Amino acid sequence: MSALKTAPPAAPARLSLAMATFLGLVALITALGAGHLVAAFVGYQASAFVAVADFVIAHSPHPVVVWAEQTLGTADKTVLKIGLAVLLVGFAVLAGQLSRSRPLPGQVLVGVLGVAGIVAVYQRTDVGQLALLAPVLATAASLMVFGWLHRRALAPDAGSGAGLTRRQVLQRGAGVAAGAGVAAIVGEVVAGRGSAAGSRAAVGPLVAARKAPPLPPDADFVKLGSPPFITPNPDFYRIDTAFVVPQVRAEEWQLKIHGMVEREITLSYSDVRNRPLVERTVTLACVSNEVGGDLISTANFIGIDLVDLLDEAGVRRGAQQMYATSVDGFTCGTPANVALDPQRGAMLAIGMNGEPLPVEHGFPARIVIPGLYGYVSATKWVTDLEFTTWDERQSYWLQRGWAEQAPIKTESRIDTPASGTSVPAGTVRVAGTAWAQHIGIAKVEVRVDQGRWQQAALSAEVNKDTWRMWWAEVPARSGSHTITVRATDQSGYTQTDHPADPVPDGASGWHSVSFTAR
Ligand SMILES: Nc1nc2c(c(=O)[nH]1)N[C@H]1C(S)=C(S)[C@@H](COP(=O)(O)O)O[C@H]1N2
Ligand SMILES: [Mo]
């Protein structure tokens, strides 16, 4: 019977509420710090906080966004950030408290949040696959730290072997949190230095001397099922060949205009910015858009008139194409006569819907030329414009078999009802959009099954370079039906029903949608 002289302090079977909460918060701080650091290298928008905030913005119902903008103004983003922070702290506290006796329940909650972060980043169109590393590593770090501290806090023989005293756990936890804080700051510095985000944030508001005319109230029929007239920046379709979004800082950006010109011109960002800016409402479309597809969006672009610059450069006769090069090596050939046409409204754009161009849409500067598919007209991160002949240079997509001339085809799309849905039988409301950039839409017609064509109501025309919304009511007895749309443009041309693939110069054909009336 030997008495134990030095009994090890008994390990708690359960963590105190305070300790459990502490561990939850350390796990949260670890995730945010690690995520922010990794995101600085793989894409700023992949940082959990940024991704989740943008996800909320993109998925908020339209009326909520309008309400937030009207009541909170530019403070809406701040309110959102604070709200998210409160929510995350709440989750962290909950994760901690669920795990008073075992780490597993809290880890499951952290894991669920991690998966949500991964989905939010995955759904983004503006970061590459590599960006998934940020939420993945953040979740892994958080799970490890949580499990490690938890086991130490509950382990027997605290203070001597595997276990730690309460004080030691607090010290280690605080140390990890401080490390995560440093990681976040390093991430912010790296992102601010190496990426365009910091440079973009410093640009400030862009105000056009010549603003686009305000939209008429009946420019869209959102309530009836058409898309909103102006596409919010986070929803604007994105197409490019960049795996990682090019990071160009405005201070370092230059545009050179050369080749078959009288005078070479080199412009800096402030050269562009300090000119009187013009704003134009333009609908961009991608040649890869299938019939019924959504690679088409509209924005108010702010920039300068390209013709003014080209006049200063003095483009020589005989120049056939404006061959544009992006920092990432992408090239794009625009017919010179289109770029030089004063009626066309070609722009060197630096702003989009009141903000500097989003990084993924070409910050600091891009080309926007109404009426041509993006691959021959809309170079993002543009740094070089060379006037040359078609023989001399072959742009990226021309080398891959796409057409040299690529005016956007007159097309139309049904947005409501969605394909495969059921609606009450009787009168069915149909709505959508139609476009014939630089010509203008004259008429949109719909028909049910093989019935007669019926004219749809059109929204007010904003300008000929933008899409136009339409709606109609059609009869439908109970059963399955197909509804079809076709547009006629202001040149008198009616959309062909001949289906064509996007290659080589854009898809054609009538869009139709099947639905069931009950
Ligand atoms: N640098 C660069 N610019 C580019 C592209 C690209 O791959 N790289 N794609 C073009 C294509 S095919 C289209 S449709 C438009 C899309 O512009 P958005 O992503 O802003 O919608 O950008 C054009 N500009
Ligand atoms: Mo495109």
Side-chain angles (χ1 to χ4, degrees), residues 239 286-288 374-375:
I239 291 286
C286 183
V287 70
S288 303
Y375 81 104

Side-chain angles (χ1 to χ4, degrees), residues 27-176:
L28 170 70
I29 295 168
T30 305
L32 291 178
H36 207 64
L37 179 62
V38 178
F41 295 96
V42 295
Y44 190 73
Q45 301 93 329
S47 180
F49 211 69
V50 180
V52 174
D54 282 350
F55 187 84
V56 171
I57 295 170
H59 291 82
S60 293
H62 191 64
V64 174
V65 175
V66 171
W67 172 85
E69 278 170 1
Q70 281 168 353
T71 48
L72 305 170
T74 42
D76 59 347
K77 305 282 186 301
T78 314
V79 172
L80 177 68
K81 276 182 200 156
I82 295 171
L84 274 179
V86 170
L87 202 71
L88 283 177
V89 168
F91 267 114
V93 170
L94 183 68
Q97 307 212 339
L98 285 177
S99 279
R100 286 181 67 190
S101 41
R102 303 179 294 140
L104 192 64
Q107 283 178 319
V108 168
L109 190 61
V110 171
V112 168
L113 276 183
V115 170
I118 291 166
V119 170
V121 172
Y122 182 76
Q123 290 201 338
R124 294 191 72 101
T125 53
D126 58 358
V127 287
Q129 309 287 356
L130 212 59
L132 287 171
L133 275 179
V136 168
L137 293 180
T139 309
S142 180
L143 288 175
M144 270 172 51
V145 163
F146 190 69
W148 167 68
L149 282 177
H150 207 287
R151 275 192 303 279
R152 293 296 177 278
L154 277 187
D157 61 319
S160 58
L164 295 176
T165 63
R166 181 185 161 77
R167 193 188 158 84
Q168 285 172 318
V169 173
L170 288 176
Q171 278 171 350
R172 303 265 196 300
V176 170

